Amino acid sequence: MVATQEAHATRAAIAVLAEGGNAVDAAVTAGFTLAVTLPRAGNLGGGGFMVIHLAAEKRQVAIDYREKAPRNAHRDMFLDRKGDPDPRLSRHTHLSAGVPGTVRGLALALKRYGTISLRRALQPALELAENGFLVGEDLHQSIHAYAADFQKDQAAREIFLTPAGKAWPVGSRLVQKDLARSLRLLSENGPDAFYLGELANAIVSDMKAQGGLITGDDLAAYRPVERLPVMGRYRNWKIVSMPPPSSGGTHLIQMLNILENFPISDYGHNSANAIHVTTEAMRRAYADRSRYLGDPDFVKVPVNQLVSRDYARRLARRIDHNSATPSTKVTPGLGPLPRPESNETTHFSVIDRNGNAVSNTYTLNFSYGSRIVVPGTGILLNNEMDDFSAKPGTPNAYGLIGGLRNAIEPDKRMLSSMTPTLLFSDNGTVVATGSPGGSRIINIVLQIVCNIVDHDMNVAEATHAPRFHHQWFPDELRIEQGMSDGQVRLLSARGHRIRVAPDIGSTQTVMLHKGIFQGASDPR
């Protein structure tokens, strides 16, 4: 069973499974295919996280292929003359690009845990780039939304816009010859083509010409890291998710630990009581995120303390059942620690016939990243450097406040909210899930977990249910349309500042339950 955000990628992954490939084979194939067919998020020039369940070994691994800051990066590189963050520099210039990790990350997963060749995994992506595919409504609308940005970059303009400067219309064929050539180089020469060879040279040349920081040494030195997943239990389910530099797994488990102190199932799905308590858990977890999370290769992240059940009980006792706690009165709860201190993403999930599972989230950060293409390659540059704290205490593009632990340093991985997650019930059920959504990702995955565990929903019901989000600051409870007006009034009466939000997330969830596969791709 495969769930991705785009049909060509799903079909490509299913074909690999039909040939006898495993979940990792299918996931890597989907990842490369999405770089062609979902260019706003699928990528060669970005990075992400993969969580794998190896059924025969009964163990899970996490692969961190998050981007890294170039070696010439420095803490104040995005500040203007007044010392304030300059969003243009951190989002829409060559300076905004971190050293990409996707190619080495997917190749590592395939080499260690897959069964097919890299050439086979790349085949669908190469064919779709070379021969093109029909533009659908979703792709047309996303290109149209950023046409003005594509106009500013010649290489991007030549790919995504017609000669008249318009988004390719629905039903036209999008051909990406330069990207096909890049994929062919990867197929013939492996990931070294990207990090040491011709593609590396093209990236470095473009960086030198446009004032970027990524050097040949940065690319040559990049390595993904295999890490131990963060794990917890919720009710009778085991939760396995991504550790730092993702904040997702840590705070997902922290919030589930808080919720275990409340009868969420008895409250009823999306009741005022359930939303109130969950929102208060979100508020406290995101406050902790602002202070304690960062790249574990640079700072000591107190994961064990944050996912401690004793700590969760302490936080749960601070929740007032009848009144929202103003965020100004919620501070990071562990106290001082010793020194040293996208919204447009995409997710895909796979489970194979043997019970192996993959949950993968990867991104360029913004939709189409910086909207800059490396000439001659078809590769979009990420703008992940904006995920660092350009100035500690100042919100980033998603309103998230970061601290010194996520300050810019050479070779450091920027903090992320991506939350690829696996669930295992005591009766043998396996679930793989995750979502795009920038700062909202952790809360989106939290609600999928609660919908399945607390409210006994199947994956389609869990996916379709209306969602809500709170991230400490700004102090507002964002809700999707579809929530009961009565429940909204009850929440307002408790002091929650309500804001109706556009669609929250795009989950891709698969389940294996008693030999039966279920899958749901989010209609959002």
Side-chain angles (χ1 to χ4, degrees):
M1 179 65 72
V2 177
T4 84
Q5 209 169 335
E6 199 280 325
H8 290 91
T10 298
R11 294 190 191 108
I14 286 290
V16 167
L17 292 177
E19 293 169 8
N22 67 17
V24 175
D25 299 328
V28 171
T29 300
F32 282 124
T33 304
L34 287 164
V36 179
T37 60
L38 192 75
R40 68 175 185 265
N43 67 84
L44 301 182
F49 302 118
M50 180 182 288
V51 180
I52 304 171
H53 171 58
L54 303 168
E57 302 175 38
K58 296 181 179 178
R59 72 182 179 99
Q60 297 83 42
V61 297
I63 296 178
D64 168 7
Y65 59 98
R66 181 70 159 152
E67 302 91 333
K68 299 177 75 172
R71 292 178 176 178
N72 289 326
H74 58 90
R75 176 174 161 173
D76 299 331
M77 61 186 285
F78 296 129
L79 302 184
D80 62 20
R81 293 177 181 177
K82 296 180 180 178
D84 296 322
D86 182 344
R88 186 193 67 84
L89 289 177
S90 64
R91 301 171 193 176
H92 301 299
T93 68
H94 283 69
L95 286 174
S96 68
V99 182
T102 292
V103 173
R104 277 212 192 279
L106 295 183
L108 175 71
L110 191 66
K111 182 177 180 179
R112 289 189 181 174
Y113 303 111
T115 66
I116 65 174
S117 67
L118 181 62
R119 183 182 297 268
R120 172 63 186 91
L122 286 162
Q123 178 188 331
L126 176 53
E127 292 176 356
L128 286 161
E130 182 72 47
N131 301 322
F133 60 96
L134 297 182
V135 174
E137 183 67 29
D138 178 71
L139 179 56
H140 166 75
Q141 291 294 345
S142 73
I143 295 175
H144 175 73
Y146 302 106
D149 289 327
F150 293 141
Q151 286 282 11
K152 300 172 186 175
D153 182 80
Q154 181 178 344
R157 183 170 66 247
E158 291 174 354
I159 296 169
F160 297 113
L161 302 180
T162 68
K166 304 293 184 181
W168 289 104
V170 174
S172 61
R173 184 169 290 273
L174 179 61
V175 177
Q176 301 173 76
K177 293 291 186 182
D178 286 345
L179 184 56
R181 182 171 175 276
S182 295
L183 290 164
R184 189 172 293 107
L185 287 170
L186 293 178
S187 181
E188 294 170 353
N189 303 314
D192 281 355
F194 189 97
Y195 294 92
L196 297 171
E198 188 172 335
L199 297 178
N201 292 337
I203 293 169
V204 171
S205 176
D206 191 40
M207 287 286 158
K208 287 181 179 177
Q210 301 297 332
L213 296 182
I214 296 175
T215 66
D217 288 343
D218 289 321
L219 289 165
Y222 182 87
R223 295 292 184 277
V225 179
E226 188 169 305
R227 301 188 188 276
L228 291 174
V230 60
M231 301 184 188
R233 285 194 68 83
Y234 184 57
R235 317 296 184 192
N236 60 337
W237 290 71
K238 177 183 177 182
I239 313 297
V240 179
S241 194
M242 196 68 206
S246 170
S247 61
T250 300
H251 293 305
L252 172 66
I253 292 171
Q254 178 187 11
M255 290 187 285
L256 290 170
N257 286 344
I258 294 172
L259 295 182
E260 194 143 33
N261 293 278
F262 301 92
I264 301 297
S265 179
D266 293 344
Y267 291 161
H269 178 256
N270 277 353
S271 66
N273 282 336
I275 294 175
H276 171 73
V277 168
T278 306
T279 297
E280 294 303 300
M282 293 172 175
R283 191 192 308 269
R284 285 155 176 81
Y286 275 75
D288 283 347
R289 183 190 187 279
S290 73
R291 177 176 293 178
Y292 304 125
L293 270 289
D295 183 346
D297 296 335
F298 281 72
V299 297
K300 182 172 176 56
V301 182
V303 173
N304 290 338
Q305 292 166 270
L306 290 167
V307 301
S308 158
R309 289 180 177 274
D310 287 341
Y311 179 51
R313 281 190 287 270
R314 212 163 79 224
L315 294 179
R317 286 195 293 269
R318 298 175 187 172
I319 295 175
D320 185 332
H321 277 269
N322 300 309
S323 181
T325 308
S327 289
T328 53
K329 295 186 178 180
V330 174
T331 56
L334 290 175
L337 293 171
R339 289 185 181 276
E341 279 269 323
S342 193
N343 191 26
E344 226 6 292
T345 299
T346 193
H347 180 89
F348 47 91
S349 298
V350 184
I351 301 179
D352 66 25
R353 60 176 61 83
N354 295 315
N356 301 301
V358 174
S359 181
N360 187 98
T361 314
Y362 74 158
T363 187
L364 289 164
N365 195 28
F366 283 15
S367 209
Y368 299 94
S370 60
R371 294 147 208 166
I372 296 170
V373 170
V374 178
T377 70
I379 296 171
L380 281 155
L381 292 173
N382 69 80
N383 57 359
E384 293 291 359
M385 294 293 288
D386 188 64
D387 274 358
F388 281 116
S389 300
K391 183 178 182 180
T394 301
N396 70 359
Y398 301 106
L400 288 172
I401 295 174
L404 290 173
R405 289 167 170 260
N406 191 40
I408 302 169
E409 294 182 61
D411 284 328
K412 190 178 189 180
R413 288 175 164 89
M414 57 290 292
L415 187 59
S416 171
S417 296
M418 291 185 282
T419 315
T421 297
L422 302 173
L423 315 177
F424 304 88
S425 76
D426 291 345
N427 67 11
T429 300
V430 181
V431 178
T433 190
S435 180
S439 62
R440 305 167 298 175
I441 293 175
I442 312 171
N443 290 338
I444 294 164
V445 176
L446 172 71
Q447 288 165 83
I448 290 287
V449 175
C450 289
N451 289 348
I452 292 172
V453 175
D454 288 314
H455 305 298
D456 198 29
M457 294 183 181
N458 63 40
V459 293
E461 293 169 323
T463 298
H464 283 248
R467 297 181 185 135
F468 56 95
H469 171 73
H470 199 294
Q471 62 180 50
W472 186 44
F473 284 105
D475 190 353
E476 59 186 21
L477 173 57
R478 305 176 199 179
I479 60 170
E480 288 184 325
Q481 290 183 345
M483 292 286 186
S484 159
D485 290 342
Q487 304 298 347
V488 171
R489 285 194 293 271
L490 288 171
L491 290 164
S492 295
R494 295 187 191 189
H496 293 284
R497 286 187 272 182
I498 307 292
R499 183 165 76 86
V500 177
D503 293 344
I504 297 175
S506 181
T507 57
Q508 310 297 323
T509 307
V510 295
M511 174 189 286
L512 178 58
H513 174 65
K514 296 182 179 179
I516 304 298
F517 288 99
Q518 295 181 18
S521 187
D522 202 322
R524 293 168 179 80

